[in-house]
Amino acid sequence: MKVTLSLTHRCNLACRYCYAGNSQKPDMPLATAKQCIDVALARIQPGESLDLGLFGGEPLLRFDLIKEIVEYIHRRALQTSTPVRIGITTNGTLLSPEILDYFADQGINLCFSIDGPQKIHERNRLFRNGNGSFAEVVRNLELALKRLQKVEVNAVIGPDTLADAPDSLDFFIQTGVPVIHFNPNIKAIWPHESFAHFKDVYDRMAEQYITCFRNGEEIALNVIDSKAVLFVKGGYSPSDKCAMGDGEWGIAPSGNIYPCERFIGEDDDHTFCLGNIQSGCDQTLQNALRGKRGNHRNDCTTCRYNRFCMSWCGCTNWFMSGASDMPAPVLCAMEKATIEAARRVFETLVRENNDLFADHLFNYVNVGDQRCRACRKREKPLRDQLGHTTL
């Protein structure tokens, strides 16, 4: 189960595309956070794990609360024998060596929100006084890469930064970031003429990815990896898809429960609010929500990209099309470009028998026999082990 606690609506930045809102409502009380953890642990089935995200606003404004939450969840996880993963998403401006030491000691995964080099990052990610945030973020990113075992970045792509995404990817590679996420600005108005640029942008990123693996440099890039693993699996399985409130919760500082943290916003539009952590989920609302998830766009069923298309993400669909079960045309264009770019990567590196790429994919996919690279290489070529998937 995945639970994301939005600890505060407050933030020291004023990002132009922020979907967390500018609410001045109170921060999450510790008692509410503890209750969220208890309820989540009670719902988990034997053998399952809890993925706990700490979010905002800017969660590091409440580092004191973070420490209390981490101490509590470790204790409760030990009592219930539940594996727990803790992750924090931050704008990166408030980190210090002391905070990084704490995250390292506690095994916390850290994700930076950074859009690329300074000229790209500061188009949208500014302090409230209008000053740029890049210098602080990149300084702390470099410190985190030295101190922590796992550091990720999340870059938002909008109509104004789409063409620059390959430059951002190059910056992250040169900086040494091992895990890179690019996600679209789901609240932006994407002009139709931008659709034609998706293919070129993702093809360029595919070439950068191929170059890394040819040079023996492993990177994790969501827009490629998320599709490449599907070519091994044969497409999305039901368990991969958005459960819209059943397998994932985003919880506002007030304790209100949403299917995803992206729906929290100002916590005043209760269209997708399922209830409150104190009173529990409203079963009538939850049942109604189950009928609004997935993809009910008829022409998608015959599309050759359907097995590999993330057309089922409820929050993405809602913000882009106005309906949680209807993918927008911009998502369709973006997904097609992503799938084709990933297929190019997959076919190229499989054809070249790139063992680093094989190991990379085997780390994502449960393929049964997880033998070492040398054993696999001796027995049969990479192309025979990974197979070949056509659209």
Side-chain angles (χ1 to χ4, degrees):
M1 183 174 186
K2 180 181 178 181
V3 175
T4 301
L5 306 183
S6 180
L7 305 184
T8 178
H9 290 283
R10 297 180 295 123
C11 188
N12 60 328
L13 296 188
C15 301
R16 294 191 172 106
Y17 52 63
C18 179
Y19 60 77
N22 294 298
S23 175
Q24 297 301 309
K25 295 177 181 178
D27 297 344
M28 179 176 284
L30 177 59
T32 299
K34 288 181 175 180
Q35 191 168 8
C36 293
I37 292 167
D38 290 340
V39 171
L41 289 173
R43 289 172 58 93
I44 289 176
Q45 300 299 313
E48 292 183 343
S49 61
L50 175 61
D51 188 346
L52 180 71
L54 303 178
F55 202 68
E58 172 48 48
L60 290 184
L61 288 170
R62 291 304 314 272
F63 183 56
D64 59 328
L65 180 59
I66 288 173
K67 289 189 290 186
E68 294 186 275
I69 291 172
V70 170
E71 188 278 331
Y72 184 75
I73 193 169
H74 281 322
R75 174 155 46 88
R76 293 287 291 118
L78 186 62
Q79 292 170 350
T80 58
S81 300
T82 303
V84 172
R85 175 190 178 275
I86 305 174
I88 294 178
T89 301
T90 174
N91 63 35
T93 61
L94 299 177
L95 283 163
S96 67
E98 293 73 24
I99 292 175
L100 289 173
D101 285 345
Y102 176 80
F103 289 164
D105 292 341
Q106 299 296 324
I108 294 172
N109 295 322
L110 190 62
C111 182
F112 281 73
S113 295
I114 175 173
D115 288 349
Q118 185 170 8
K119 66 178 182 178
I120 300 171
H121 178 82
E122 292 186 349
R123 288 182 196 168
N124 292 293
R125 302 190 64 81
L126 306 172
F127 285 106
R128 292 194 171 275
N129 61 7
N131 292 337
S133 64
F134 178 79
E136 288 87 345
V137 178
V138 77
R139 180 184 65 244
N140 291 328
L141 174 60
E142 290 171 351
L143 288 174
L145 288 168
K146 294 176 182 177
R147 184 66 181 90
L148 303 180
Q149 286 191 335
K150 185 174 182 181
V151 176
E152 306 179 13
V153 297
N154 180 64
V156 175
I157 300 176
D160 59 331
T161 56
L162 173 63
D164 300 306
D167 292 337
S168 292
L169 176 57
D170 184 63
F171 168 76
F172 295 138
I173 293 170
Q174 296 303 317
T175 304
V177 179
V179 183
I180 304 162
H181 303 272
F182 283 92
N183 289 299
N185 181 353
I186 58 176
K187 296 184 73 173
I189 298 175
W190 289 81
H192 194 272
E193 54 267 26
S194 69
F195 296 9
H197 299 296
F198 290 139
K199 183 180 187 305
D200 175 65
V201 168
Y202 287 110
D203 280 349
R204 289 165 60 196
M205 295 171 78
E207 191 59 40
Q208 291 167 285
Y209 184 102
I210 291 170
T211 298
C212 283
F213 277 86
R214 282 174 173 167
N215 292 337
E217 180 181 358
E218 182 179 11
I219 62 169
L221 177 60
N222 70 323
V223 294
I224 299 298
D225 293 344
S226 63
K227 304 305 181 185
V229 296
L230 298 178
F231 300 149
V232 180
K233 294 170 57 177
Y236 285 111
S237 64
S239 62
D240 293 328
K241 298 181 180 181
C242 175
M244 281 284 283
D246 283 326
E248 179 176 352
W249 284 352
I251 303 180
S254 65
N256 284 338
I257 303 170
Y258 293 85
C260 170
E261 70 272 9
R262 288 182 170 185
F263 284 121
I264 295 173
E266 305 278 359
D267 193 22
D268 55 6
D269 180 356
H270 293 171
T271 303
F272 288 94
C273 183
L274 299 174
N276 188 277
I277 199 66
Q278 294 185 8
S279 57
C281 285
D282 185 313
Q283 292 303 310
T284 300
L285 295 175
Q286 202 160 19
N287 289 335
L289 188 61
R290 291 187 182 109
K292 296 179 182 178
R293 66 190 185 196
N295 177 5
H296 291 150
R297 185 171 146 182
N298 292 331
D299 56 342
C300 288
T301 59
T302 57
C303 176
R304 67 193 184 103
Y305 297 94
N306 185 45
R307 286 181 297 157
F308 311 107
C309 181
M310 200 186 71
S311 60
W312 38 260
C313 178
C315 64
T316 299
N317 288 343
W318 173 258
F319 286 110
M320 282 186 159
S321 74
S324 60
D325 57 351
M326 288 287 177
V330 61
L331 180 66
C332 179
M334 193 175 296
E335 284 289 291
K336 287 179 180 177
T338 305
I339 294 166
E340 289 289 2
R343 183 173 69 162
R344 177 185 170 193
V345 167
F346 185 89
E347 292 180 347
T348 298
L349 294 178
V350 167
R351 184 173 62 250
E352 295 177 1
N353 212 33
N354 188 295
D355 283 315
L356 180 61
F357 181 65
D359 288 340
H360 184 68
L361 289 190
F362 275 101
N363 285 335
Y364 280 111
V365 185
N366 180 14
V367 292
D369 188 358
Q370 296 287 340
R371 290 166 294 175
C372 68
R373 177 175 62 188
C375 294
R376 293 203 312 266
K377 188 174 181 179
R378 276 199 306 270
E379 293 184 4
K380 57 182 177 179
L382 168 65
R383 64 176 64 90
D384 295 333
Q385 297 173 64
L386 294 183
H388 179 79
T389 297
T390 57
L391 296 175

